[in-house]
Amino acid sequence: MVYSQNAPNIKVTLHLDDYLCSEEQWVYIRGYNTVISGSEYFIFDSAYVAKGQHLVEFNYYIPYEQIQYILFSKMGPDGFYFEAEPDMSFEIDLGVADGEGGGTKMIKGGTSHNEERLFYDRVINPLKNKITECSERDPVLLDSIDY
C-alpha cells in the first residue's frame, strides 16, 4: 500500500447484522488514492469475516478528510460510504439495507459525516422536495432541474 509507511490514524469498527455475517466473506474499505493521480480507487484496509462474526475492525492511514466506501465480497449493502477524518475512531452499525441511501446513516464518532447528514436532512432534502413540488405544477421546471 502507498500509505503503509505511516502509522494508522483511523479506526473503523463495524457491527454487522445477522444477515451480513451469515456467510464468510471479505470486507474492504476503499477510497481514492490522490497521491498518485487523484482518481484511482485504493483499498485502504480489508478484513476477513467468518460466518457468525458480528464485529470487524479496520486500522489504516489517510492523509486528510475524505469519503470512504465499504465493500463486501459476497453480500452486503451496495454503496455505503462515510466521511473519514484523520485521528478519528468510528463505529458503524451496518445492515444489508444501509447501502440504499449511500451515507445517510449517522455514525458514532463521525463528526464531519454527521454534520453533512444533518445539513442534507435540514437544508438539501427539504429544498429538493420544494423543487419537486413546484415542478409538478410546472413541468418545464422539472425538465430544467433534471437536466
Side-chain angles (χ1 to χ4, degrees), residues 5-142:
Q5 70 274 15
N6 297 307
N9 64 354
I10 292 275
K11 179 180 180 183
V12 177
T13 304
L14 300 181
H15 300 273
L16 305 177
D17 71 1
D18 290 335
Y19 179 79
L20 294 180
C21 63
S22 64
E23 189 174 337
E24 61 184 32
Q25 64 178 322
W26 282 90
V27 182
Y28 307 91
I29 302 278
R30 81 146 176 94
Y32 289 99
N33 183 349
T34 57
V35 172
I36 294 174
S37 72
S39 62
E40 294 180 13
Y41 287 133
F42 187 75
I43 302 294
F44 288 95
D45 203 0
S46 63
Y48 176 77
V49 180
K51 185 176 181 178
Q53 179 182 341
H54 288 272
L55 188 68
V56 184
E57 287 189 2
F58 300 93
N59 293 284
Y60 56 97
Y61 174 82
I62 60 172
Y64 50 83
E65 183 177 332
Q66 59 182 277
I67 293 176
Q68 306 282 280
Y69 295 84
I70 299 174
L71 306 173
F72 291 81
S73 65
K74 293 183 180 176
M75 53 205 296
D78 183 30
F80 186 84
Y81 64 88
F82 62 97
E83 186 103 8
E85 307 164 55
D87 304 316
M88 296 294 287
S89 179
F90 305 95
E91 287 192 42
I92 304 171
D93 295 321
L94 202 55
V96 70
D98 288 328
E100 300 301 321
T104 59
K105 183 176 197 161
M106 300 292 262
I107 60 176
K108 297 173 198 157
T111 306
S112 64
H113 174 86
N114 293 338
E115 287 173 359
E116 183 179 333
R117 294 291 40 94
L118 288 173
F119 177 74
Y120 268 82
D121 289 345
R122 293 179 180 164
V123 178
I124 300 299
N125 291 337
L127 184 59
K128 283 182 182 178
N129 293 338
K130 186 68 173 172
I131 291 171
T132 301
E133 181 184 307
C134 291
S135 66
E136 288 171 353
R137 289 183 286 195
D138 187 353
V140 174
L141 288 175
L142 181 61

